[in-house]
Amino acid sequence: MQRGDVRTETPHFSTRVMHVITGLDVGGAEVSLLKLLATLDRSAFESAVVTLKGTGTVAEQIMSLGIPVYSANIRTQGIRVGNLRQLLRTVSSWRPELIQGWMYHGNLAASTLSRLMKGRLPVAWNVRHSIDRLAEEKTRTRWVIRAGALVSRQATRIIYNSHVSAQQHERLGYNRCRTVVIPNGFDPNSFRPSAERRRSLCDELGISKNTIVVGMVARYHPMKDHNNFLEAAKRIQAARSNVVFLMAGRGVSPQNAALKKRIGTSAFGGSVRLLGEVEDVPALMAALDILVSASCGEGFPNVVGEAMAAGVPCVVTDTGDSAVLVGDHGFVVPPRNETALATAVTTLIDMGSDARMRIGLQARDRIVNNYSLENSAARYTALYNSVLAKASSPVREKPTMN
């Protein structure tokens, strides 16, 4: 494990920001952190990362940037005094000027570390979750969400990646005076139209040239509503036979017995391919004719932005900020409505390849102009500078009651 350099008396011109995140396996928050670290101006900000759990694929990618990653190795049974002491020593030796939490546990840990350190460092939280129905969350997740609401005034700023997520958490008691919304950013150089990538993946999967490829890329979770997608896919396949459906994401594999049972062994089932977790997501996106987000709950869906950057027209459910992201360059349908979902996809199929390409390129332009990585990094930079300016001011910002 790579260690961070202990600060010496040598002057430096960059601000040290310590990021505290729950874990570093592949996931939306983890990848967003990686992209931010890769894009931030290194001359302005020096970064380090603490993962509360063990390391993972994203940790290796972060370290490849020359950024140190520390693991607290906290198990599911909970944090121990020894873990906390070691974590506090690690953070204190690195001497950050700002602590940035990521996800619920990382946010709480960031605030705890700030309180235990001399000088009470400013803390920014980063909430990466949407909550349509709190009762549907796991019991422990509900507890930590509620705990976050109780101590949210300790955060200098609370960053959300969607307006809907901010509103949902404010209703649960999160301090609205701390709210800042920074949408996710996307890399149009990695995610781009590519006939070569499409041919390669289709050849690998045995998909013929004239087949329409409809994809859903989402981890296996009730909120993603894979059942809604499959019900719509049945209707689409019954009306248009030259369609194949690619389903990818964590848990979306042939080993998922519940999903396999849902698909069944009918003729329809033969048009559905379960790919599991895909490493080369840009290649997968480039191979699609249409991307579907069938969720019944969302925040700010990365897969939609990635597909748009790849020039793929999208059909999304009206949840979270999905409609805001798509704008006028895609289709928005009600959640949990397989008929509307199927109709929108069928409409795109019937438009023909030229019309789909035109919509896809307009969608890509929207990402390039409004949701680039550079745009997102600039907003984080402005936020960090604002927080640090307030922290160094003789008059500290007083907590505001909701």
Side-chain angles (χ1 to χ4, degrees):
M1 178 63 62
Q2 194 168 341
R3 295 177 61 86
D5 297 327
V6 177
R7 173 180 283 183
T8 67
E9 295 303 317
T10 303
H12 68 90
F13 300 98
S14 58
T15 298
R16 287 196 163 194
V17 180
M18 175 72 81
H19 297 265
V20 182
I21 192 166
T22 306
L24 284 173
D25 288 322
V26 177
E30 296 84 352
V31 172
S32 291
L33 171 58
L34 170 64
K35 291 191 292 187
L36 175 63
L37 294 175
T39 312
L40 277 174
D41 183 356
R42 300 288 186 89
S43 66
F45 298 101
E46 185 179 353
S47 303
V49 179
V50 167
T51 167
L52 300 181
K53 298 180 181 178
T55 57
T57 303
V58 178
E60 296 172 2
Q61 294 173 292
I62 290 173
M63 287 190 289
S64 72
L65 298 173
I67 295 172
V69 175
Y70 303 91
S71 174
N73 289 314
I74 297 171
R75 306 304 176 190
T76 55
Q77 291 82 359
I79 190 169
R80 297 179 180 179
V81 174
N83 292 121
L84 186 59
R85 285 175 178 168
Q86 180 58 46
L87 184 56
L88 185 59
R89 281 196 296 268
T90 298
V91 176
S92 297
S93 66
W94 199 75
R95 296 177 66 183
E97 293 156 88
L98 184 152
I99 302 180
Q100 168 75 77
W102 290 75
M103 302 192 287
Y104 297 125
H105 293 87
N107 292 334
L108 292 176
S111 287
T112 300
L113 289 168
S114 173
R115 291 180 68 86
L116 293 175
M117 294 180 68
K118 294 179 181 180
R120 292 286 296 271
L121 296 178
V123 175
W125 285 9
N126 207 317
V127 176
R128 314 292 300 184
H129 191 59
S130 63
I131 309 170
D132 278 353
R133 295 172 180 80
L134 186 61
E136 293 182 357
E137 301 291 339
K138 295 178 181 178
T139 301
R140 287 188 178 183
T141 303
R142 291 201 301 270
W143 289 348
V144 77
I145 290 171
R146 293 294 191 189
L150 292 174
V151 300
S152 62
R153 289 181 180 82
Q154 296 178 10
T156 311
R157 291 290 182 268
I158 305 175
I159 304 166
Y160 302 90
N161 64 352
S162 77
H163 292 86
V164 168
S165 176
Q167 293 162 6
Q168 291 169 340
H169 285 82
E170 287 167 3
R171 286 195 293 268
L172 292 172
Y174 281 66
N175 193 302
R176 62 171 49 91
C177 297
R178 306 292 195 255
T179 293
V180 178
V181 177
I182 301 180
N184 297 343
F186 305 96
D187 182 4
N189 294 318
S190 295
F191 291 91
R192 64 185 192 278
S194 173
E196 182 180 352
R197 283 175 167 179
R198 175 182 169 84
R199 282 195 303 271
S200 177
L201 186 60
C202 287
D203 288 345
E204 179 184 336
L205 297 175
I207 299 172
S208 62
K209 180 180 179 180
N210 295 322
T211 300
I212 303 296
V213 182
V214 179
M216 177 180 178
V217 183
R219 63 191 170 93
Y220 191 67
H221 187 280
M223 186 177 67
K224 301 300 182 181
D225 208 350
H226 290 81
N227 290 340
N228 184 30
F229 176 77
L230 288 171
E231 289 302 316
K234 285 183 181 179
R235 294 171 181 263
I236 297 164
Q237 209 272 339
R240 306 289 184 274
S241 59
N242 63 327
V243 185
V244 67
F245 304 93
L246 302 185
M247 301 179 69
R250 188 187 308 163
V252 186
S253 69
Q255 288 70 46
N256 186 324
L259 194 54
K260 286 283 287 183
K261 182 179 180 181
R262 184 77 183 182
I263 295 170
T265 58
S266 62
F268 160 74
S271 65
V272 179
R273 311 289 180 83
L274 302 180
L275 305 183
E277 200 162 1
V278 175
E279 289 188 10
D280 194 350
V281 179
L284 173 60
M285 292 301 185
L288 302 180
D289 292 291
I290 300 167
L291 184 282
V292 173
S293 175
S295 301
C296 56
E298 271 295 350
F300 190 93
N302 278 331
V303 294
V304 175
E306 291 167 351
M308 291 171 67
V312 178
C314 298
V315 177
V316 303
T317 50
D318 193 5
T319 59
D321 279 15
S322 296
V324 175
L325 177 57
V326 168
D328 297 327
H329 308 301
F331 285 74
V332 181
V333 300
R336 295 192 174 94
N337 188 329
E338 66 268 16
T339 302
L341 194 63
T343 299
V345 173
T346 303
T347 300
L348 271 172
I349 292 172
D350 292 345
M351 281 182 173
S353 60
D354 289 344
R356 287 195 301 272
M357 183 178 296
R358 184 169 59 253
I359 294 172
L361 291 178
Q362 291 170 347
R364 175 175 167 80
D365 286 343
R366 180 169 173 78
I367 294 299
V368 171
N369 294 328
N370 299 284
Y371 297 100
S372 68
L373 287 177
E374 289 73 18
N375 184 290
S376 178
R379 297 184 70 170
Y380 273 95
T381 297
L383 173 68
Y384 290 163
N385 287 335
S386 172
V387 167
L388 290 163
K390 289 183 182 296
S392 61
S393 173
V395 180
R396 293 292 183 90
E397 179 186 23
K398 296 181 179 180
T400 305
M401 301 294 288
N402 275 343

